[in-house]
Amino acid sequence: MSQTFKIAVLPGDGIGPEVIAEGLKVLRAVETLVSGASFELVEHAVGAGEYLRSGDPLPPATLEEIKSADAILLGAMGLPSVRWPNGVEMTPQIDLREFLDLYNGIRPIRLYHESHSPLRGYAADASGRAIDFVVVRENCEGLFAERRTPQTEGPDFRTDTLRITRRGATRICRAALELARSRRRHCTLVDKANVLPSMAFFRELFDEVAREFPDVHTDRVYVDAMALYLVQRPHTFDVLVTENMFGDILSDLGAGLIGGMGLAPSADLGDEFGVFQPSHGSAPTIAGKGIANPIATILSVAMMLEWLGHPATVRGATLINQAVQLVLWDPSHRTADLGGTMSTTQMGDLVCQSIG
Ligand code: ATP
């Protein structure tokens, strides 16, 4: 049966609108090719630009409208020049994760062409040295947990709290182990259990949940060692699960291994809502130049279609993933971040032409 999906589109700041335009172009290309699904796109102004206009980067009325959508597609938010009085940037994308309880941050790291990686000897195929892992980031607590509550502070210090709850840790570990079950059945907990009591608790809960998954091989690695291993032997990992801040850092490191932020998509999932966005920020230094790589956004559109779970959208996701693979298989297809000359729109057009 044919179904119309309502997609809330939040282009945001910096390169956000530029890469979202290409993601939508690809979505429309899929819509014309695959029968059974259509998309109603509803755009909303959110981000630093909206703060400058209305005084609120994520107005409550907008949030309510967003909640009525089947899925949310986001570009990038925040600008270094637009800050709250305490000095931190506007981050409505983080607010959204908390408001919509999007605890499950999925960040696939996959090498599409060996020449994209700064590492030697890695492959983009199913060989033993392929880089193909997923960082599962706990999105709603960890070191970001108390960021909006006033912390203990004095004239000469500020404190941030790393909070791990039984509920939060259990559900993210279960999500990661389930994901591993659908992949190569290997899940690695990344923590700092040797130093921080909150992390020792996280490990205890991971061990508890892992017992429900005897078919998944598990191991445990300290976050500092993981930074080393991801550079030395990224091909040995499948699913990594970790707290908020560690996941933030390791997913950027992962993106570095495969060619940069322009190739790293993400999904922030809860039990009810899903927000899909490139892992990168608003990249203000390249905004407006038409050179941003739209692939991370295009792959995020594929993740959205997969998550929507209709046979037609799942087929659409496969078509997009195949098209991206085909395009990037040719090393001459590069935007500036990969050392090439293609513009944002040229890359988007090429993916569209390669679909089907
Ligand atoms: P945030 O904290 O909001 O995630 P950030 O400060 O970590 O953002 P990004 O905006 O992600 O920074 O940019 C990091 C680097 O990656 C910058 O050099 C930026 O130009 C580059 N970059 C990010 N996205 C893209 C893209 N789509 N195409 C090309 N380069 C990109």
Side-chain angles (χ1 to χ4, degrees):
M1 200 176 66
S2 185
Q3 198 172 332
T4 300
F5 294 93
K6 185 169 160 188
I7 311 294
V9 180
L10 284 50
D13 305 306
I15 60 171
E18 299 168 47
V19 291
I20 281 291
E22 302 312 306
L24 295 180
K25 206 191 262 178
V26 170
L27 184 66
R28 288 301 186 202
V30 164
E31 190 178 33
T32 52
L33 263 178
V34 178
S35 58
S38 57
F39 304 98
E40 180 196 343
L41 306 177
V42 186
E43 197 171 310
H44 302 277
V46 172
E50 178 59 17
Y51 170 80
L52 293 176
R53 199 188 65 79
S54 71
D56 189 342
L58 180 57
T62 308
L63 181 62
E64 279 314 303
E65 282 177 48
I66 289 171
K67 280 165 128 176
S68 72
D70 294 301
I72 301 153
L73 182 64
L74 193 153
M77 291 188 189
L79 290 173
S81 55
V82 185
R83 291 173 187 263
W84 295 112
N86 68 357
V88 300
E89 276 186 44
M90 318 263 135
T91 50
Q93 71 280 23
I94 301 178
D95 301 338
L96 259 184
R97 288 175 200 149
E98 292 167 0
F99 292 150
L100 304 180
D101 201 21
L102 308 171
Y103 60 91
N104 184 7
I106 299 183
R107 294 163 174 230
I109 301 294
R110 179 174 173 186
L111 183 63
Y112 282 90
H113 193 276
E114 57 188 43
S115 66
H116 295 167
S117 181
L119 302 182
R120 283 188 309 272
Y122 278 91
D125 55 27
S127 78
R129 287 178 67 84
I131 301 179
D132 181 9
F133 63 89
V134 181
V135 177
V136 175
R137 168 184 177 184
E138 201 296 318
N139 265 342
C140 293
E141 49 182 43
L143 195 51
F144 286 24
E146 314 267 344
R147 68 192 176 89
R148 281 181 300 141
T149 4
Q151 297 293 294
T152 31
E153 60 182 54
D156 300 320
F157 72 94
R158 302 286 185 274
T159 304
D160 291 306
T161 305
L162 201 167
R163 182 177 163 84
I164 299 293
T165 65
R166 177 175 292 279
R167 175 172 178 265
T170 303
R171 65 183 182 172
I172 196 64
C173 291
R174 188 165 285 118
L177 286 153
E178 269 161 14
L179 179 63
R181 197 172 249 172
S182 70
R183 291 173 47 93
R184 301 194 303 278
R185 294 175 182 266
H186 179 191
C187 185
T188 306
L189 170 73
V190 184
D191 63 26
K192 193 66 185 170
N194 51 336
V195 175
L196 302 173
S198 60
M199 292 279 91
F201 184 49
F202 196 20
R203 185 175 286 209
E204 197 182 304
L205 296 167
F206 176 79
D207 290 346
E208 214 173 283
V209 180
R211 283 196 280 276
E212 296 166 25
F213 295 80
D215 53 322
V216 177
H217 171 72
T218 59
D219 49 12
R220 295 128 191 93
V221 176
Y222 299 135
V223 64
D224 43 346
M226 183 51 89
L228 175 78
Y229 297 155
L230 281 183
V231 175
Q232 289 182 330
R233 51 178 179 88
H235 60 287
T236 62
F237 297 103
D238 180 15
V239 174
L240 315 183
V241 58
T242 191
E243 73 86 34
N244 211 334
M245 181 72 165
F246 294 171
D248 190 23
I249 297 168
L250 291 181
S251 57
D252 271 29
L253 195 163
L257 300 176
I258 56 158
M261 300 307 295
L263 294 168
S266 83
D268 292 325
L269 308 178
D271 295 331
E272 211 179 331
F273 301 100
V275 172
F276 302 83
Q277 65 173 118
S279 292
H280 60 73
S282 59
T285 55
I286 59 166
K289 297 182 178 168
I291 58 169
N293 188 344
I295 294 290
T297 307
I298 291 168
L299 290 170
S300 303
V301 169
M303 291 180 82
M304 177 180 83
L305 293 177
E306 175 100 45
W307 179 79
L308 283 169
H310 186 281
T313 62
V314 173
R315 170 94 188 111
T318 305
L319 290 178
I320 295 176
N321 287 326
Q322 286 170 345
V324 168
Q325 215 171 329
L326 195 68
V327 166
L328 296 181
W329 193 250
D330 180 339
S332 70
H333 295 150
R334 290 168 190 263
T335 39
D337 52 324
L338 297 173
T341 55
M342 285 178 75
S343 69
T344 309
T345 52
Q346 283 171 334
M347 185 59 99
D349 289 343
L350 191 57
V351 174
C352 287
Q353 286 156 23
S354 308
I355 287 177

